[in-house]
Amino acid sequence: MKEFKLLYKDAVQLLKELISTQSFSKEENDTAAVLGRFFTNRSIPFERSGNNLWAFANPYNPELPTIWLNSHHDTVKPNAGYTLNPFTPVEEDGKLYGLGSNDAGGPLVSLIAAFCHLYGKELPFNLIVILSAEEEISGPNGIGSIISKLPACELAIVGEPTLLDMAVAEKGLMVIDAKSYGKAGHAAREEGVNALYLALDDLIKIRDFQFKKVSPFLGKTKVSATVIQAGKQHNVVPDLCEFILDVRVTDAYTLEEALEELSSNLNCELKPRSLRLQSSHVPEGHPILDIAKEMGIKTYGSPTLSDQALIPYPSVKIGPGDSARSHTADEFIYLNEIQNGISMYIAILESYSKLVKRAL
């Protein structure tokens, strides 16, 4: 009990320091320094690449399986609705206010506390805590930039605010730049081929489009047209119409497969901005699913994106806080959610430890 109180106290103090330190995506150098000092003050060796940090609970043993604990320390920028200073941590009525307190400061410090609890203890697996940058923008200098530096894992536990429910699947994201080409002409005469009308034909198809395959866990893959631009003069038939498609892809498709199905049904030119943010789904029979069932943890499929999309190994997303509070004005997390988060992470890892030991 005494150790847990210390873990919780340290976690809250660390979160307050992180809230007080600006860490917009691509600008996380100062919070990386805060996290580095936290490890140094506890004599925990760590490595750093860019603004990503990681540490091992014990010397790496290639004969053992590996578990990653991952969360991020970057934040979005505060919106105009804030009535409190987003960089001043405020405790009030059992809540801790501040930018990044909920997404993903609470899960981050709870994972760190669980890691500290198990640090140096004999474990039947390698345990690594990974504190990543640029998660909010899925940036190139985030977790994707260090995966090759880390040992492969059989499970990654990603800390995000989920009300301590467990997302065992997550939709991927593909943003597509679409172009319809026509031929310029004078609007007053029957000249040219209007690229807007060509695009309209495709947009009607997109509005009603149904992908053939449906995921039993995540449901339908969905495409939405979100931005459109064409023409510059009222009297000129536009020869180009550009629009953007937002595609949320389930585990029934790879991004490449979803792109191919769209391409075969549309006439416009489609160019994906990236094929990095794949969907994920924990395979049937994975031990974490048994543990969730034994512990009574609700499992679900998540429509929102996280670093799961960049982790090429089985992963789950779980943490204290509520996704509905993310990116909102006067963001907060309940202090008891942090307590429960620390307890939950420790319980999951201890259950996983027992399961691995039985299998050895």
Side-chain angles (χ1 to χ4, degrees):
M1 180 64 72
K2 183 178 179 181
E3 182 198 3
F4 182 83
K5 287 183 178 179
L6 183 59
L7 287 171
Y8 167 70
K9 179 181 176 182
D10 286 351
V12 172
Q13 183 56 43
L14 176 59
L15 180 51
K16 288 180 177 179
E17 192 170 355
L18 292 171
I19 290 170
S20 301
T21 308
Q22 181 177 302
S23 57
F24 303 148
S25 300
K26 295 187 176 183
E27 301 174 20
E28 310 97 339
N29 184 67
D30 290 342
T31 47
V34 168
L35 294 165
R37 286 196 300 270
F38 180 90
F39 286 137
T40 298
N41 291 340
R42 287 155 183 78
S43 300
I44 298 175
F46 69 94
E47 296 185 59
R48 177 173 173 176
S49 177
N51 292 325
N52 305 283
L53 294 85
W54 65 95
F56 288 77
N58 284 302
Y60 177 69
N61 182 349
E63 301 299 318
L64 296 178
T66 297
I67 294 178
W68 292 3
L69 305 178
N70 164 243
S71 191
H72 64 95
H73 58 102
D74 63 317
T75 72
V76 298
K77 294 182 179 180
N79 62 53
Y82 265 83
T83 63
L84 302 171
N85 185 332
F87 303 109
T88 299
V90 174
E91 276 191 55
E92 187 177 298
D93 298 328
K95 302 174 183 177
L96 177 59
Y97 290 90
L99 181 67
S101 56
N102 178 78
D103 184 13
L108 177 84
V109 299
S110 298
L111 275 178
I112 292 172
F115 173 83
C116 290
H117 172 72
L118 294 171
Y119 179 78
K121 295 183 179 179
E122 186 176 347
L123 299 170
F125 46 75
N126 299 296
L127 184 65
I128 311 174
V129 66
I130 305 161
L131 315 176
S132 52
E134 297 192 10
E135 187 275 345
E136 293 290 1
I137 58 170
S138 300
N141 297 313
I143 193 170
S145 68
I146 62 170
I147 284 174
S148 63
K149 303 176 188 291
L150 302 169
C153 68
E154 72 169 37
L155 175 69
I157 298 174
V158 178
E160 290 283 347
T162 69
L163 293 172
L164 292 180
D165 296 333
M166 183 182 288
V168 297
E170 181 182 83
K171 286 187 177 181
L173 169 64
M174 178 168 53
V175 179
I176 299 174
D177 291 306
K179 294 182 180 181
S180 293
Y181 295 96
K183 183 178 179 181
H186 198 294
R189 298 191 292 266
E190 293 293 327
E191 293 179 349
V193 177
N194 195 319
L196 259 173
Y197 297 155
L198 296 178
L200 180 60
D201 291 338
D202 274 339
L203 288 168
I204 290 172
K205 292 179 184 177
I206 289 164
R207 181 193 64 187
D208 301 323
F209 193 80
Q210 298 288 326
F211 283 89
K212 295 176 182 177
K213 294 187 287 185
V214 177
S215 164
F217 210 87
L218 288 168
K220 298 178 180 180
T221 291
K222 179 173 176 54
V223 57
S224 302
T226 54
V227 179
I228 188 167
Q229 175 67 46
K232 294 181 179 179
Q233 295 178 231
H234 75 89
N235 59 348
V236 178
V237 171
D239 61 354
L240 174 65
C241 182
E242 300 175 283
F243 51 102
I244 296 174
L245 303 179
D246 178 294
V247 189
R248 303 291 167 153
V249 183
T250 73
D251 55 309
Y253 289 91
T254 64
L255 297 184
E256 293 83 354
E257 289 168 344
L259 177 63
E260 174 59 31
E261 190 167 318
L262 272 176
S263 297
S264 65
N265 285 275
L266 301 175
N267 295 314
C268 56
E269 175 186 284
L270 300 179
K271 185 177 181 180
R273 295 183 181 178
S274 169
L275 295 172
R276 297 168 60 233
L277 305 177
Q278 298 279 358
S279 61
S280 65
H281 187 194
V282 176
E284 294 297 326
H286 194 285
I288 193 62
L289 300 177
D290 294 330
I291 289 170
K293 186 175 182 180
E294 290 172 8
M295 294 180 61
I297 300 172
K298 177 185 174 183
T299 58
Y300 71 105
S302 174
T304 58
L305 205 63
S306 72
D307 273 338
Q308 273 188 289
L310 297 171
I311 295 174
Y313 310 113
S315 63
V316 296
K317 180 168 64 180
I318 182 172
D322 187 345
S323 180
R325 296 183 215 136
S326 300
H327 308 174
T328 61
D330 297 338
E331 181 182 348
F332 70 89
I333 189 166
Y334 288 100
L335 292 168
N336 67 358
E337 289 180 320
I338 296 174
Q339 291 179 313
N340 294 336
I342 297 170
S343 297
M344 178 69 80
Y345 287 140
I346 291 174
I348 289 172
L349 291 167
E350 289 179 342
S351 294
Y352 210 98
S353 179
K354 291 175 183 177
L355 190 151
V356 173
K357 286 178 180 178
R358 288 199 299 266
L360 293 176

